[in-house]
């Protein structure tokens, strides 16, 4: 087989310092990968590859001056290059002639030292599907980016884009992934609305300076992954319930003290990360058990002394991460999590795990006797209850004890309500039974009777047929009834 027929060539990690001369003879070469080498220049042989479609040259030492303009435009004819990866090199500016490569679909210039983008770069690159400019020194982007109407993936992470107002974004209607991690985002350089980005499913705004969730995000109704970690967000709006397609929500390393109840309406949510905030027991909504699809709940580094019982009723939960909190105990229903794979309770020195609940079977049903009081949990665990938390001597000012009492009173109130509802149902059932019995009686009375059931026995009184002295004389008298009349029988 002749080497001139080679179409794919991989020269990754072979310690190249320059492009081999032999490559220039591979006239049918379409895909070339020379990643992870020590190449500084792309001059020479590559400009002769007229069939080249894909060039992967990441992780080298290539400088801007080492890229020939002929690589993108040869003899006034644009090349057919569709994929260009020059990431992790030493570029300080956009290579000359790149704006002529109108066939480009994928362009990766990340992890360089590029400080500006020329206005003409995106005039002809309108077919771009993926653009990665992450980890450079960009302060703004040209307005011509609005011409990238076919763009699906835009990566701008780790650039000081203070002056970039995102005005070009609404024009990118096919955008599905937008990552702007550590780009100096705040409420002043965010657009008021992004409702035209109906295809956007993945948004990363982590490591910025956002004090709250920008209003524009509530117009993105098709989001599936949202990362707002490492900001200064204090609270969440009830409007987040519009994210009905959301599967992953990352809110770690913020200033949250509570999560809104509307969070429980995100029926598609699978992973929730709220690590290193200021959440306590009251900050977790009691209805969190409604998140039936949730597989991961991570709340390490908070102020949790207990978790809501509802959290243990998330049937799909596989990872429960509660390390570095102030946990005292857990609900007995923690033992109902049969599919749990990872349970992290590390660095909770005062935690006493509850024993498995006792259960009694009645007609095939099981009822768990759950007492969430700290005294009962310590007692069940076999520990001595300190005097400081004995029921008769517990301080009313103890915030943890107060929360436990409030929880018990709330549970008792719920049980009382349930008992009233059950009694009402029983009364209705009894009333229906009584009505049924009365109907049966009425039905019996309407049945036809036999001819002899209606006859009544005549009242027979023989007192008028006997003389006044009869029965008063001593001795025995025998009488017989003949034709319904009494006759004295002689001895």
């Amino acid at each position: 087989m002749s080497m001139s027929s080679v179409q794919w060539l991989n020269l990754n990690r072979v310690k190249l310092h320059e492009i081999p001369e032999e490559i220039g003879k591979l006239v049918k070469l379409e895909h070339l990968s020379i990643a992870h080498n020590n190449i500084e220049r792309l001059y020479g042989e590559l400009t002769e590859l007229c069939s080249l479609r894909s060039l992967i040259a990441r992780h080298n030492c290539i400088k801007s001056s080492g890229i020939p303009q002929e690589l993108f435009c040869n003899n006034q004819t644009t090349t057919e290059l569709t994929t260009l990866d020059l990431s992790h090199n030493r570029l300080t500016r956009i290579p000359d002639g790149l704006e002529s490569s109108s066939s480009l679909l994928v362009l990766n210039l990340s992890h360089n030292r590029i400080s500006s983008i020329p206005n003409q770069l995106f005039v002809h690159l309108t077919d771009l599907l993926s653009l990665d400019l992450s980890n450079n020194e960009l302060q703004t982007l040209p307005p011509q980016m609005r011409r990238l109407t076919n763009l699906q993936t835009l990566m701008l992470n780790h650039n000081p884009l203070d002056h970039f107002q995102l005005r070009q974004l609404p024009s990118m209607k096919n955008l599905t992934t937008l990552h702007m991690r550590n780009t100096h985002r705040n409420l002043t350089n965010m657009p008021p609305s992004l409702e035209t980005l109906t295809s956007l499913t993945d948004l990363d705004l982590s490591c910025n300076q956002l004090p709250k969730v920008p209003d524009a995000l509530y117009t993105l109704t098709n989001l599936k992954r949202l990362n707002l970690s490492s900001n200064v967000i204090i609270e969440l709006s009830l409007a987040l319930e519009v994210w009905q397609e959301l599967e992953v929500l990352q809110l770690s390393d913020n200033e949250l003290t509570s999560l809104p109840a509307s969070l429980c309406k995100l029926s598609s949510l699978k992973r929730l990360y709220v690590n290193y905030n200021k959440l306590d027991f009251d900050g977790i909504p009691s209805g969190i058990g409604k998140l039936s699809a949730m597989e991961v709940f991570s709340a390490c580094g908070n102020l949790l002394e207990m978790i809501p019982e509802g959290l243990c009723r998330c049937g799909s939960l596989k990872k429960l991460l509660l390390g570095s909190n102030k946990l005292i105990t857990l609900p007995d229903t923690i033992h109902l999590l049969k599919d749990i794979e990872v349970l992290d309770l590390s660095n909770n020195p005062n935690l006493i795990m509850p024993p498995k609940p006792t259960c009694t079977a009645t007609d095939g049903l099981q009822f768990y006797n759950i007492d969430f009081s700290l005294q009962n949990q310590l007692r069940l665990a076999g520990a001595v209850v300190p005097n400081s938390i004995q029921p008769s001597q517990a301080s009313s000012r103890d915030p943890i004890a107060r929360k436990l009492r409030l929880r018990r009173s709330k549970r008792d109130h719920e049980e009382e309500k349930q008992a009233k509802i059950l009694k009402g149902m029983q009364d209705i059932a009894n009333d229906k039974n009584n009505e049924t019995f009365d109907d049966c009686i009425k039905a019996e009375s309407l049945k036809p009777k036999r001819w002899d059931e209606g006859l009544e026995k005549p009242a027979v009184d023989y007192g008028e047929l006997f003389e006044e002295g009869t029965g008063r004389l001593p001795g025995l008298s025998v009488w017989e009834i003949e034709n319904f009349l009494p006759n004295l029988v002689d001895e």
Side-chain angles (χ1 to χ4, degrees):
M1 175 181 177
S2 174
M3 289 294 292
S4 60
S5 302
V6 172
Q7 295 181 342
W8 292 73
L9 182 59
N10 187 332
L11 294 175
N12 296 339
R13 303 179 188 273
V14 292
K15 300 180 180 181
L16 288 177
H17 291 273
E18 59 183 12
I19 305 296
E21 295 181 0
E22 292 77 8
I23 290 183
K25 300 178 181 179
L26 305 179
V27 293
K28 294 185 179 181
L29 188 64
E30 296 183 2
H31 304 277
L32 174 62
S33 183
I34 50 176
H36 294 276
N37 286 290
N38 298 313
I39 299 173
E40 296 183 3
R41 298 160 55 95
L42 297 180
Y43 273 110
E45 291 70 18
L46 293 186
T47 60
E48 302 175 9
L49 303 178
C50 56
S51 300
L52 194 62
R53 301 287 185 272
S54 174
L55 175 59
I56 309 299
R58 59 177 175 265
H59 288 280
N60 278 283
C61 304
I62 302 172
K63 299 179 181 179
S64 299
S65 58
I67 302 176
Q69 185 173 350
E70 292 78 14
L71 185 62
F72 312 112
C73 182
N74 197 349
N75 296 327
Q76 297 182 348
T77 303
T78 58
T79 61
E80 297 299 322
L81 201 62
T82 59
T83 301
L84 178 62
D85 187 348
L86 294 173
S87 61
H88 296 273
N89 278 286
R90 299 179 181 178
L91 303 180
T92 56
R93 57 181 173 83
I94 299 297
D96 295 334
L98 181 59
E99 67 276 2
S100 302
S101 196
S102 57
S103 299
L104 271 180
L105 300 177
V106 178
L107 176 59
N108 189 347
L109 298 174
S110 64
H111 293 86
N112 282 284
R113 289 177 253 173
I114 302 173
S115 58
S116 64
I117 303 291
N119 291 339
Q120 69 271 18
L121 178 62
F122 299 118
V123 173
H124 300 295
L125 305 186
T126 54
D127 290 335
L128 269 181
L129 300 178
S130 177
L131 175 61
D132 192 347
L133 297 171
S134 301
N135 293 83
N136 278 286
E137 300 173 4
L138 299 171
Q139 295 186 6
T140 188
L141 295 173
Q144 286 77 11
M145 279 191 67
R146 62 171 52 95
R147 297 175 61 89
L148 304 180
T149 56
N150 294 311
L151 196 66
Q152 297 179 5
T153 301
L154 177 59
M155 315 292 282
L156 299 171
N157 299 327
H158 301 287
N159 279 288
L161 293 168
D162 300 76
H163 306 295
F164 183 46
Q165 299 290 331
L166 302 182
R167 294 192 181 97
Q168 298 92 326
L169 284 182
S171 301
M172 304 176 186
K173 297 182 179 180
N174 290 308
L175 204 61
T176 61
T177 301
L178 174 61
H179 286 190
M180 299 190 68
R181 181 185 182 91
N182 188 23
T183 54
H184 297 191
R185 294 298 92 198
N186 53 56
L187 297 181
T188 61
N189 56 21
M190 289 290 294
S193 176
L194 294 172
E195 60 184 355
T196 58
L197 304 183
T198 56
S199 299
L200 192 63
T201 59
D202 186 353
L203 177 60
D204 187 347
L205 288 172
S206 60
C207 299
N208 281 290
Q209 302 155 9
L210 298 172
K212 69 172 187 176
V213 179
D215 294 339
L217 270 59
Y218 296 118
T219 63
L220 302 172
T221 57
N222 293 317
L223 278 179
K224 290 187 176 182
R225 291 171 295 278
L226 176 59
N227 189 350
L228 292 170
S229 301
S230 300
N231 279 279
V232 288
I233 299 174
I234 300 175
E235 61 180 356
L236 300 175
S237 169
L238 296 175
L240 59 79
E241 63 184 61
V242 301
W243 298 328
Q244 286 299 306
E245 304 296 324
L246 197 64
E247 297 179 359
V248 181
L249 179 57
Q250 297 180 341
L251 295 166
S252 298
D253 197 15
N254 277 285
E255 303 292 329
L256 294 172
T257 57
S258 64
L259 301 176
S262 57
L263 178 72
C264 305
K265 297 181 181 180
L266 305 183
S267 57
S268 299
L269 193 63
K270 294 182 178 180
R271 287 180 281 173
L272 176 59
Y273 301 91
V274 290
N275 302 312
Y276 301 103
N277 280 277
K278 299 179 180 179
L279 299 172
D280 59 7
F281 172 79
D282 294 328
I284 307 295
S286 58
I288 197 170
K290 297 177 182 178
L291 300 177
S292 58
M294 188 163 63
E295 299 177 357
V296 178
F297 179 79
S298 184
C300 299
N302 280 280
L303 306 175
L304 295 171
E305 65 281 341
M306 186 181 283
I307 59 173
E309 180 188 358
L311 187 58
C312 301
R313 300 189 183 277
C314 297
S316 302
L317 199 61
K318 295 180 180 179
K319 294 184 179 181
L320 180 58
L321 310 177
L322 301 171
S324 300
N325 275 280
K326 298 183 178 181
L327 292 175
I328 298 174
T329 186
L330 295 174
D332 283 19
T333 46
I334 193 72
H335 298 292
L336 299 179
L337 296 174
K338 302 298 184 183
D339 297 328
I340 197 76
E341 297 176 358
V342 178
L343 178 60
D344 182 7
L345 302 173
S346 61
N347 199 19
N348 283 283
N350 297 323
L351 175 63
I352 297 179
M353 283 293 292
K356 290 187 177 181
T358 57
C359 60
T360 57
T362 304
D363 296 333
L365 299 178
Q366 292 183 344
F367 301 90
Y368 288 88
N369 181 19
I370 303 173
D371 184 354
F372 292 101
S373 67
L374 177 59
Q375 296 85 2
N376 183 66
Q377 298 299 333
L378 292 173
R379 192 177 300 110
L380 291 176
V384 178
V385 182
N387 293 331
S388 59
I389 58 173
Q390 288 287 353
S392 61
Q393 301 177 10
S395 171
S396 60
R397 297 182 180 180
D398 183 358
I400 296 177
R402 177 177 176 273
K403 290 171 183 174
L404 295 176
R405 290 197 300 274
L406 289 175
R407 180 174 179 82
R408 287 199 304 273
S409 62
K410 181 179 179 181
R411 186 181 69 253
D412 294 341
H413 179 65
E414 292 293 332
E415 291 177 353
E416 183 179 353
K417 288 174 59 179
Q418 294 175 1
K420 289 182 179 179
I421 293 174
L422 184 59
K423 184 178 183 303
M425 295 173 66
Q426 291 175 343
D427 292 342
I428 293 174
N430 291 336
D431 292 341
K432 289 185 177 180
N433 290 336
N434 293 336
E435 292 177 0
T436 303
F437 181 72
D438 293 341
D439 292 341
C440 291
I441 295 177
K442 291 179 182 179
E444 288 290 337
S445 63
L446 294 177
K447 289 182 179 180
K449 297 182 179 181
R450 292 171 50 187
W451 66 272
D452 55 347
E453 289 180 355
L455 299 178
E456 295 183 359
K457 295 180 180 180
V460 181
D461 184 6
Y462 293 103
E464 298 179 355
L465 302 177
F466 294 97
E467 295 180 359
E468 184 177 354
T470 301
R472 296 183 179 180
L473 298 176
L476 175 65
S477 299
V478 179
W479 299 80
E480 66 177 358
I481 304 301
E482 183 179 358
N483 295 329
F484 299 100
L485 293 175
N487 293 320
L488 182 62
V489 178
D490 295 335
E491 297 182 358

